[in-house]
Amino acid sequence: MEPAEYRPPQKRQKRQCVILSVVVLLLIFVIILTAVLLTQFRGSESGGALGQRTETLKETFMDRCGKFKGYDCEKVWAAFQKAYVGKDPCKVPMEAYNPLIAAAPFKPTCNRMMFWSKTKDVVHDFTAKKDCFVTLEDTLVGSVLNDLTWCGKEGSSETFTSNCPGWTTCDNNPVRSFWNSVSTAFAEVACGDTTAMLNGSIPTPFSPTSIFGSIEVKKFTSKRMTSLNVVLVTQDKSVSNCKSASLKNLEKELDGGIKYNCKEVSEAQIKACSSNPQVSCGACW
């Protein structure tokens, strides 16, 4: 027998070849695995996994839509997608959402319509607890897309939910055009005594650049509206009141014939009222 520490040159060469082959195979395996993982990562970043995200968006849309009776939610979803799918995400005009609004038109709720600016949390907490007023976000079209992001891409049939233009990135991005469009339609059916909840904690409760100031107020007409009642939400350190210059500008902006009223109401009072089912809505301010 040959000593354990001794191996003929020929055997040593064979062993070295085997080791080298194993090392080469391992390297090839690592390279292939790395390439596959990198491809998947890049695909996810650029939209390769968008199908799943589209389904998540649709599930949310359909779930919210299903809470409203008498609508074909598949039809509403299809009308929504037509507005932006396959388009440059900075070239989706307001008019692109006309078919969506036609599929789920706004129904006038005279004397119960509530508009708001910079008071989103307060107003929606109130309307969720008190069945007195209806905001845009309480309607089908406003509800199904509230707080969501979406966009399309030229040459793609997918819906993207990330890497979409921000609100100020471009004027005609899908989300901004949507809210401008539905806000216009909602304001056009405002009727009777209408309410607006504005923020008294900022210097300009009525801003001409807000959706309320630049779109909704301009659509109010005395042919349908009797009055606009402003609820100015105040806090301990509020900087505005009903005599503020910006609210005087709001009064001037209103169509002639629409009566203007303003009342300062603390946020604490609004929350206490909304939480008390025995207090009527009219007694909240």
Side-chain angles (χ1 to χ4, degrees):
M1 291 180 65
E2 297 172 340
E5 68 274 10
Y6 173 79
R7 290 181 176 85
Q10 194 172 30
K11 289 186 177 181
R12 288 204 304 271
Q13 290 175 355
K14 287 182 179 179
R15 179 178 175 81
Q16 291 172 351
C17 288
V18 170
I19 293 173
L20 183 60
S21 298
V22 172
V23 171
V24 171
L25 289 173
L26 285 173
L27 286 173
I28 293 173
F29 175 79
V30 170
I31 292 171
I32 293 174
L33 180 61
T34 301
V36 170
L37 292 175
L38 184 59
T39 299
Q40 291 179 344
F41 173 77
R42 287 177 175 171
S44 173
E45 288 294 302
S46 63
L50 286 174
Q52 184 178 358
R53 292 204 294 271
T54 300
E55 288 305 311
T56 300
L57 177 67
K58 185 176 181 180
E59 287 173 6
T60 301
F61 186 105
M62 298 298 283
D63 179 63
R64 293 177 178 180
C65 180
K67 296 176 183 178
F68 295 83
K69 306 301 180 183
Y71 294 92
D72 184 341
C73 291
E74 285 290 350
K75 180 181 178 181
V76 177
W77 169 258
F80 163 62
Q81 283 197 303
K82 286 181 180 178
Y84 65 90
V85 167
K87 299 180 181 179
D88 183 323
C90 278
K91 295 181 180 179
V92 179
M94 289 172 55
E95 296 76 20
Y97 290 100
N98 287 347
L100 171 61
I101 296 173
F106 291 107
K107 300 175 181 178
T109 51
C110 297
N111 306 317
R112 297 183 65 224
M113 297 182 73
M114 171 77 80
F115 295 82
W116 58 271
S117 181
K118 300 293 190 297
T119 53
K120 183 175 183 178
D121 291 341
V122 178
V123 72
H124 289 139
D125 178 72
F126 183 82
T127 59
K129 296 174 180 176
K130 288 281 191 184
D131 188 23
C132 313
F133 298 97
V134 177
T135 69
L136 171 57
E137 293 78 15
D138 295 319
T139 67
L140 185 152
V141 174
S143 171
V144 293
L145 293 165
N146 190 28
D147 292 328
L148 300 181
T149 297
W150 66 92
C151 63
K153 182 180 179 181
E154 285 184 303
S156 173
S157 61
E158 295 283 0
T159 291
F160 295 75
T161 56
S162 61
N163 298 322
C164 294
W167 184 268
T168 59
T169 302
C170 49
D171 290 340
N172 289 327
N173 69 72
V175 176
R176 183 169 182 169
S177 289
F178 167 78
W179 287 111
N180 287 344
S181 180
V182 296
S183 294
T184 298
F186 187 64
E188 285 177 340
V189 299
C191 54
D193 296 323
T194 303
T195 305
M197 195 174 285
L198 306 181
N199 192 340
S201 297
I202 57 179
T204 54
F206 173 69
S207 171
T209 61
S210 66
I211 288 181
F212 178 66
S214 64
I215 293 178
E216 292 170 335
V217 169
K218 296 183 182 303
K219 295 299 179 180
F220 294 162
T221 172
S222 58
K223 293 180 180 180
R224 295 185 300 271
M225 277 182 61
T226 305
S227 66
L228 175 67
N229 303 303
V230 172
V231 176
L232 187 65
V233 183
T234 62
Q235 295 179 341
D236 293 340
K237 296 181 179 180
S238 290
V239 297
S240 296
N241 55 42
C242 285
K243 296 180 180 180
S244 294
S246 76
L247 293 177
K248 294 297 182 182
N249 292 334
L250 167 57
E251 186 175 5
K252 293 176 183 178
E253 282 283 333
L254 291 177
D255 185 27
I258 297 178
K259 186 179 179 180
Y260 172 82
N261 300 295
C262 178
K263 190 170 185 179
E264 299 161 22
V265 186
S266 70
E267 182 175 342
Q269 178 180 332
I270 293 172
K271 289 185 176 181
C273 182
S274 64
S275 300
N276 190 341
Q278 296 182 344
V279 178
S280 65
C281 294
C284 289
W285 46 74

